[in-house]
Amino acid sequence: MPEMTYVAAIAEATREEMERDESVYLMGEDIRQSVYGASAGLVDLFGEDRVIDTPLSESGFFGAAIGSSLVGQRPIVETVTSFFWVGMDQMISQASKMRYMFGGQATLPVTWRARMFYARGAAAHHSDRNYPVFMNCPGIKIICPTNPYDAKGLLKTAVRDNDPCILFEDGIAISSRGEVPANEDLPNGELLVPFGEARIVREGTDVTVVGVAGGVAHAEAAADVMAQEGVSVEVIDPRTLVPLDKKTILKSVEKTGRLVIADPAHKVCSAASEIASIVAEEGFWSLQAPIMKVASEQVNIPYSPALEPLVYPTPERVVAAIRETLS
Amino acid sequence: MPEMTYVAAIAEATREEMERDESVYLMGEDIRQSVYGASAGLVDLFGEDRVIDTPLSESGFFGAAIGSSLVGQRPIVETVTSFFWVGMDQMISQASKMRYMFGGQATLPVTWRARMFYARGAAAHHSDRNYPVFMNCPGIKIICPTNPYDAKGLLKTAVRDNDPCILFEDGIAISSRGEVPANEDLPNGELLVPFGEARIVREGTDVTVVGVAGGVAHAEAAADVMAQEGVSVEVIDPRTLVPLDKKTILKSVEKTGRLVIADPAHKVCSAASEIASIVAEEGFWSLQAPIMKVASEQVNIPYSPALEPLVYPTPERVVAAIRETLS
Amino acid sequence: MPPDRDTLMLMLERMYRIRLFEETVIEIHSTGELQGPAHPYIGEEAVAVGACAALRDTDYIAGNHRSHGHPIAKGGDLKRALAELLGKQGGYCHGKGGSMHLADFSVGILGESGIVASSVPIATGAALASKQQGKDFVSLVFFGDGASNQGACHESMNLASLWNLPVIFLCENNQYAITTSYKNSVSVDHVSDRAPAYNMPGVLVDGQDAIAVYEAVTVAVQRARAGEGPTLIEALTYRFEDHSLGLDRIRKSAYRSEEEVEEWRKRDPLDIHEEALISTGVATREECDAMKSDVVVLVAEALEFARESPYPEPSDLFEDMWADPIPAP
Amino acid sequence: MPPDRDTLMLMLERMYRIRLFEETVIEIHSTGELQGPAHPYIGEEAVAVGACAALRDTDYIAGNHRSHGHPIAKGGDLKRALAELLGKQGGYCHGKGGSMHLADFSVGILGESGIVASSVPIATGAALASKQQGKDFVSLVFFGDGASNQGACHESMNLASLWNLPVIFLCENNQYAITTSYKNSVSVDHVSDRAPAYNMPGVLVDGQDAIAVYEAVTVAVQRARAGEGPTLIEALTYRFEDHSLGLDRIRKSAYRSEEEVEEWRKRDPLDIHEEALISTGVATREECDAMKSDVVVLVAEALEFARESPYPEPSDLFEDMWADPIPAP
Ligand SMILES: Cc1ncc(C[n+]2csc(CCOP(=O)(O)OP(=O)(O)O)c2C)c(N)n1
Ligand SMILES: Cc1ncc(C[n+]2csc(CCOP(=O)(O)OP(=O)(O)O)c2C)c(N)n1
Ligand SMILES: [Mg+2]
Ligand SMILES: [Mg+2]
């Protein structure tokens, strides 16, 4: 199977969807010059009407994307997680609420693709891992691809989905390479990954580790370490947080009796908190040990390379948590 | 002890703090005419420089409040939780991050007082209970007074606190009346409620119910019902969510072995999720039953009086959850 | 271009509809039958009616919290509007939206909005879609003098000008945002004075005169359809009633004098339009009265419909959340 | 009012400081010693230096992501600035902020900011405080042509005008926001053309000429101190380098031609200022060169300091979060 980078997978999905459907267009800052790497060449293929460079106006152009989606367009909006705060009102008050408050009249097939920089010295203003915020507000589907295959398949699904979606392009995952099947090798001729289906990254019997976004890589690394000690770790990547495939998680905990969650979001009210609370309610009787959250420390993100790595989950912290659940 | 309304308690705290400290001022939309009831008469007492009516510009005036706080002022900003989205970037990128990213040089004694309308037919655009969003983002203290006493005492503490604070004025609690001691009857001549100290609303031995914001009233009502059946419910009001007094909660669960959390926020990544995850990790060995979250359904807030009450926690739903933990 | 007779009569009829609808709303609010928030449009009818008369059904509008006049002017159904206000299943939004969120996508009403200025970018986006789709649909957004101070307006006007979008920014300057005079919230004399900052025409129009509004919007619509871009129009008007029903705490006189209110009431947009029609021989007083009586019946029927419409069922709570549903969390 | 000799020399010295600081930054970035983001100010030195020379130590400034020039111009310490870029304990922010978040409250530098336009309201607030406190401190905010399209700018300018605040909005129009020409992002010819929309003076000034900037800002400062309110100044300038270090993916020529860059390089603000000083007899070429040599030493010392400064300790992670600390969650 051909290998490609995460960013190339995003670019390929975008191109395919734009080819397939005229109503799909891309909008964002400096996308014609492809500042974030995933839109190179698109303006030559699709023209300036469908590859739109915007001014620095996140309320204005997020809202314009939403408005256009109300009347038949399917915008993909490229931005950075930290700039969500600037356009937040359009995302929450409008995108997430319009359909419901208009009694189902509004359909909003708008997709945000947001680069989630962190762990690279970007400092507090550019390191937001804010998917928990959107999880709390109903009305937007939350996608966290952690490898090129899922990035391509989930983005294509998001573009076709008729609800607002946000794709969080994880700062750790974006540097990954991986296998992505060529379309001609696929039964349906295209790669579509469904929402709400977790991926069991590896099966195991002693402990369940759910990795969220960049946490998946740490979970895998930790599983490697534990394997050497004869501990069998089941690693689960939910892939989408809204909808969340809680069945797969609960089933795994039923088997292992132990749960660790690795989530790079700030730990308070995180995806890890949510998953822990679900299992503490619905999977309680399977549990043989405390549920361990390995999430970011509750501080802002420091710039210094001497400090920043101390904030996030690491394979070592996941290993320590696994050990604790086993002790 | 004299009785007063929640809104009167807020007004009294504001007046006292403005009298005490010249750098305290009030800013917001239509506060001179006291549209939300808590600022009546203040402009006559303190003048237009300290009671500032703003245009509809939440980014602009939230930011102005923050900027003024950097250089010695102590603004109290009045708004509505739903308008936070509009000024979100100033709250998150600036208020919650500045001190840390400037290595402690910035001190930001800014307090937001936000009316949290819900359960009164205000529909999706005016019913946000968004404290979990701010809990996820480190840097702001989160205050949820549920009665006039706490409203007065916590607002006064917030104004004196040197960090950004948000006071969520709960839509259910604001209609409450309650005892608030006169200053002359207090040992220090003033009412200050400390942050991070939960209130044990009533002691009990069989189940712990933590009420968040408007959830406290439901917890109490449910405790009444259960008392008639001989079940002894301990009701805890954390009062501040950041900092959260987890010790009191964990101690209570140690005693009761059972936990229900009543939280009017949307249930995913809610304060209830967070509290549940803490207890599932740190109080696991005390637990004798699943942790029950009673939070809002994960839908936007409908307008219709036939639908809206179905969204939120109610005493009945808390009772049902208590019964479930006991079964 | 002055409106033709049919248009003039249609405008009159819609003005009656709004006025009588609002009077009914006030009445059922006073009795407690209507409990939600509602922001009466009385006094400002000429703006929505003049504007919408210059639009086609396929054109888009978006509005704000003062939300009944716009959809009625655009041809919305009184029954479904009133049923929505009562939170009924037969309402436009099946009772999910209420007063501030009326919408009828079938006639281009993309929705009213409770967060001030939040539909300005939305309308701009509908105009962008129109351009991308090669359609000649125009998009018009109603917003207040207060709203004009929001960053969303600035950003949208800049985008619309840059991209030459078929959008009309129609500021209903009723001179107050709740209690705040626009003189204390807008740093120029007129909101329309800001148009040059976006390199677009700025037009100040008498918002009590439906014909004047119609004419100004017609020019803007022609511009927009011809691909010449956006226009900012400011209609100077006045709200005759309180900011919203139930907000009696704020007495009118506390921020605006009784005299001022009385002065403006003398310029009732319905009187002005009736007189224009009668004085130019377009209609007689009797024809006007007859039309009004018909509308009285319409509104009464709407109220009956709204009252009889059932409340939504509990199971409806989870309907309308997702276009592609997902399992409950 | 032209600057006096001391001021002219101070300006020259600060321009050298910025230029040589930035050259050092580029160098240590190319070797991998500096890994974080950094946005060079080379080519724009006249703006920050001209502006800050017109201010007092007690006046406030706030800036953006192109963040080294402003604090150095305001009198910030090169050592602590460079140590901050290297994430060291001796940095302005103890390594917590890095390039985009330099701040020195002791000389009125209220901080640079990575979210574009986010410090515009902050500076407005500092001006509000100044007025409330009865002080004559002026607040000045640097923001780009790209930033001017953000709603936060609109709202802040409107507030400042309404409240007559002592704030100066200084737009550094370097003609691009990353790759986007301001002609495609600002719908008027000049950002300063928007000043009338806020009823404040708008001034367009040559941003390569430090003296011209100084004079324009001096007028605005006088206005502000006299309680006459805000001013919008647009300094037309050019960034000589890439948008940010490490963003080589975007080649200069892809969005701006080599010729254009070369044309602008001919108007190097350092050359222009040196020549102004030499031609008017304020300084000789030798004096300039000597000053520059001194600055070379200063910058070298700063680099040494930065290199020798220790990294923060792990325990520092939780420091500086709260002024009134709370227990860890
Ligand atoms: C973002 C936001 N801030 C504040 C409010 C509260 N609010 C509702 S209407 C209103 C005044 C709006 O004034 P204007 O835009 O002039 O419209 P008008 O009510 O005069 O028609 C305010 C402040 C809101 N709904 N949204
Ligand atoms: C709100 C926000 N959107 C986008 C960005 C990404 N970004 C960083 S700098 C920049 C361009 C800024 O242009 P301008 O304001 O002209 O300043 P310049 O870089 O030209 O000095 C962009 C788009 C950001 N940091 N913040
Ligand atoms: Mg108004
Ligand atoms: Mg620029």
Side-chain angles (χ1 to χ4, degrees), chain C residues 275-298:
Chain C
E275 271 153 40
L277 266 52
I278 294 168
S279 67
T280 56
V282 170
T284 61
R285 166 67 55 197
E286 292 67 36
E287 284 173 308
C288 295
D289 290 349
M291 181 184 266
K292 191 169 183 177
S293 305
D294 289 349
V295 175
V296 169
V297 175
L298 268 184

Tab-separated table of all heavy atoms in Angstrom, chain C residues 275-298:
chain	number	residue	atom	x	y	z
C	275	GLU	N	-51.465	57.507	4.119
C	275	GLU	CA	-51.662	58.832	3.537
C	275	GLU	C	-51.040	58.950	2.159
C	275	GLU	O	-51.600	59.576	1.264
C	275	GLU	CB	-51.110	59.917	4.466
C	275	GLU	CG	-52.170	60.380	5.455
C	275	GLU	CD	-51.578	60.918	6.755
C	275	GLU	OE1	-50.538	61.623	6.685
C	275	GLU	OE2	-52.140	60.606	7.831
C	276	ALA	N	-49.871	58.353	2.009
C	276	ALA	CA	-49.226	58.391	0.687
C	276	ALA	C	-50.127	57.738	-0.352
C	276	ALA	O	-50.283	58.242	-1.467
C	276	ALA	CB	-47.874	57.687	0.738
C	277	LEU	N	-50.735	56.637	0.035
C	277	LEU	CA	-51.576	55.914	-0.920
C	277	LEU	C	-52.853	56.685	-1.216
C	277	LEU	O	-53.290	56.791	-2.376
C	277	LEU	CB	-51.899	54.513	-0.384
C	277	LEU	CG	-50.936	53.420	-0.859
C	277	LEU	CD1	-49.484	53.798	-0.603
C	277	LEU	CD2	-51.274	52.090	-0.216
C	278	ILE	N	-53.422	57.225	-0.141
C	278	ILE	CA	-54.681	57.937	-0.333
C	278	ILE	C	-54.444	59.237	-1.109
C	278	ILE	O	-55.164	59.535	-2.062
C	278	ILE	CB	-55.356	58.208	1.035
C	278	ILE	CG1	-55.765	56.871	1.672
C	278	ILE	CG2	-56.556	59.133	0.878
C	278	ILE	CD1	-56.172	56.951	3.128
C	279	SER	N	-53.408	59.961	-0.739
C	279	SER	CA	-53.183	61.271	-1.371
C	279	SER	C	-52.805	61.129	-2.846
C	279	SER	O	-53.049	62.020	-3.641
C	279	SER	CB	-52.101	62.052	-0.625
C	279	SER	OG	-50.866	61.399	-0.793
C	280	THR	N	-52.232	60.001	-3.220
C	280	THR	CA	-51.877	59.811	-4.634
C	280	THR	C	-52.939	59.020	-5.380
C	280	THR	O	-52.739	58.640	-6.539
C	280	THR	CB	-50.521	59.077	-4.769
C	280	THR	OG1	-50.616	57.839	-4.046
C	280	THR	CG2	-49.373	59.911	-4.232
C	281	GLY	N	-54.042	58.740	-4.701
C	281	GLY	CA	-55.139	58.061	-5.371
C	281	GLY	C	-54.907	56.570	-5.588
C	281	GLY	O	-55.669	55.920	-6.297
C	282	VAL	N	-53.904	56.016	-4.970
C	282	VAL	CA	-53.651	54.571	-5.114
C	282	VAL	C	-54.723	53.766	-4.390
C	282	VAL	O	-55.142	52.709	-4.847
C	282	VAL	CB	-52.247	54.233	-4.589
C	282	VAL	CG1	-52.042	52.730	-4.498
C	282	VAL	CG2	-51.188	54.877	-5.463
C	283	ALA	N	-55.161	54.291	-3.292
C	283	ALA	CA	-56.207	53.599	-2.525
C	283	ALA	C	-57.067	54.633	-1.820
C	283	ALA	O	-56.639	55.770	-1.605
C	283	ALA	CB	-55.581	52.662	-1.508
C	284	THR	N	-58.278	54.216	-1.480
C	284	THR	CA	-59.144	55.090	-0.685
C	284	THR	C	-59.024	54.687	0.777
C	284	THR	O	-58.546	53.600	1.098
C	284	THR	CB	-60.610	54.916	-1.105
C	284	THR	OG1	-60.983	53.544	-0.857
C	284	THR	CG2	-60.796	55.230	-2.586
C	285	ARG	N	-59.455	55.560	1.626
C	285	ARG	CA	-59.504	55.268	3.061
C	285	ARG	C	-60.286	53.981	3.296
C	285	ARG	O	-59.890	53.122	4.089
C	285	ARG	CB	-60.126	56.463	3.793
C	285	ARG	CG	-60.574	56.245	5.217
C	285	ARG	CD	-59.428	55.982	6.216
C	285	ARG	NE	-58.416	57.020	6.207
C	285	ARG	CZ	-57.187	56.884	6.718
C	285	ARG	NH1	-56.817	55.730	7.264
C	285	ARG	NH2	-56.314	57.871	6.675
C	286	GLU	N	-61.390	53.839	2.555
C	286	GLU	CA	-62.232	52.657	2.740
C	286	GLU	C	-61.476	51.388	2.364
C	286	GLU	O	-61.555	50.369	3.053
C	286	GLU	CB	-63.517	52.766	1.896
C	286	GLU	CG	-64.470	53.848	2.376
C	286	GLU	CD	-63.914	55.269	2.187
C	286	GLU	OE1	-63.219	55.532	1.177
C	286	GLU	OE2	-64.136	56.107	3.095
C	287	GLU	N	-60.753	51.470	1.243
C	287	GLU	CA	-59.978	50.290	0.835
C	287	GLU	C	-58.943	49.921	1.917
C	287	GLU	O	-58.738	48.744	2.226
C	287	GLU	CB	-59.272	50.549	-0.500
C	287	GLU	CG	-60.220	50.491	-1.692
C	287	GLU	CD	-59.553	50.927	-2.995
C	287	GLU	OE1	-58.945	52.044	-3.000
C	287	GLU	OE2	-59.630	50.193	-3.997
C	288	CYS	N	-58.320	50.961	2.433
C	288	CYS	CA	-57.351	50.696	3.507
C	288	CYS	C	-58.039	50.025	4.687
C	288	CYS	O	-57.550	49.011	5.228
C	288	CYS	CB	-56.687	51.988	3.971
C	288	CYS	SG	-55.678	52.789	2.710
C	289	ASP	N	-59.143	50.588	5.084
C	289	ASP	CA	-59.856	50.038	6.246
C	289	ASP	C	-60.298	48.607	5.999
C	289	ASP	O	-60.211	47.753	6.885
C	289	ASP	CB	-61.072	50.910	6.586
C	289	ASP	CG	-60.645	52.257	7.166
C	289	ASP	OD1	-59.441	52.404	7.485
C	289	ASP	OD2	-61.500	53.156	7.275
C	290	ALA	N	-60.748	48.356	4.792
C	290	ALA	CA	-61.202	47.010	4.463
C	290	ALA	C	-60.031	46.033	4.555
C	290	ALA	O	-60.143	44.928	5.092
C	290	ALA	CB	-61.806	46.987	3.062
C	291	MET	N	-58.912	46.491	4.009
C	291	MET	CA	-57.718	45.641	4.062
C	291	MET	C	-57.338	45.353	5.510
C	291	MET	O	-57.026	44.224	5.895
C	291	MET	CB	-56.572	46.340	3.332
C	291	MET	CG	-55.301	45.532	3.300
C	291	MET	SD	-53.989	46.488	2.541
C	291	MET	CE	-54.087	45.962	0.856
C	292	LYS	N	-57.401	46.377	6.314
C	292	LYS	CA	-57.034	46.217	7.714
C	292	LYS	C	-57.965	45.223	8.392
C	292	LYS	O	-57.517	44.357	9.160
C	292	LYS	CB	-57.106	47.578	8.405
C	292	LYS	CG	-56.483	47.574	9.783
C	292	LYS	CD	-56.325	48.988	10.316
C	292	LYS	CE	-55.640	48.995	11.669
C	292	LYS	NZ	-55.420	50.373	12.140
C	293	SER	N	-59.268	45.348	8.091
C	293	SER	CA	-60.223	44.409	8.693
C	293	SER	C	-59.891	42.975	8.301
C	293	SER	O	-59.995	42.062	9.130
C	293	SER	CB	-61.644	44.725	8.236
C	293	SER	OG	-61.950	46.055	8.526
C	294	ASP	N	-59.509	42.799	7.056
C	294	ASP	CA	-59.124	41.449	6.624
C	294	ASP	C	-57.939	40.940	7.435
C	294	ASP	O	-57.884	39.764	7.818
C	294	ASP	CB	-58.749	41.440	5.134
C	294	ASP	CG	-59.981	41.636	4.238
C	294	ASP	OD1	-61.121	41.569	4.766
C	294	ASP	OD2	-59.797	41.876	3.030
C	295	VAL	N	-57.030	41.843	7.673
C	295	VAL	CA	-55.834	41.422	8.422
C	295	VAL	C	-56.193	41.114	9.879
C	295	VAL	O	-55.633	40.183	10.481
C	295	VAL	CB	-54.712	42.479	8.316
C	295	VAL	CG1	-53.533	42.101	9.199
C	295	VAL	CG2	-54.260	42.620	6.868
C	296	VAL	N	-57.131	41.873	10.408
C	296	VAL	CA	-57.598	41.563	11.769
C	296	VAL	C	-58.060	40.112	11.830
C	296	VAL	O	-57.713	39.363	12.759
C	296	VAL	CB	-58.738	42.516	12.195
C	296	VAL	CG1	-59.396	42.037	13.485
C	296	VAL	CG2	-58.226	43.939	12.351
C	297	VAL	N	-58.795	39.724	10.813
C	297	VAL	CA	-59.288	38.342	10.770
C	297	VAL	C	-58.123	37.355	10.652
C	297	VAL	O	-58.064	36.350	11.361
C	297	VAL	CB	-60.270	38.163	9.583
C	297	VAL	CG1	-60.692	36.706	9.452
C	297	VAL	CG2	-61.490	39.076	9.767
C	298	LEU	N	-57.201	37.689	9.757
C	298	LEU	CA	-56.025	36.823	9.571
C	298	LEU	C	-55.286	36.579	10.876
C	298	LEU	O	-54.891	35.453	11.201
C	298	LEU	CB	-55.032	37.503	8.617
C	298	LEU	CG	-55.110	37.230	7.134
C	298	LEU	CD1	-53.957	37.944	6.432
C	298	LEU	CD2	-55.039	35.724	6.878
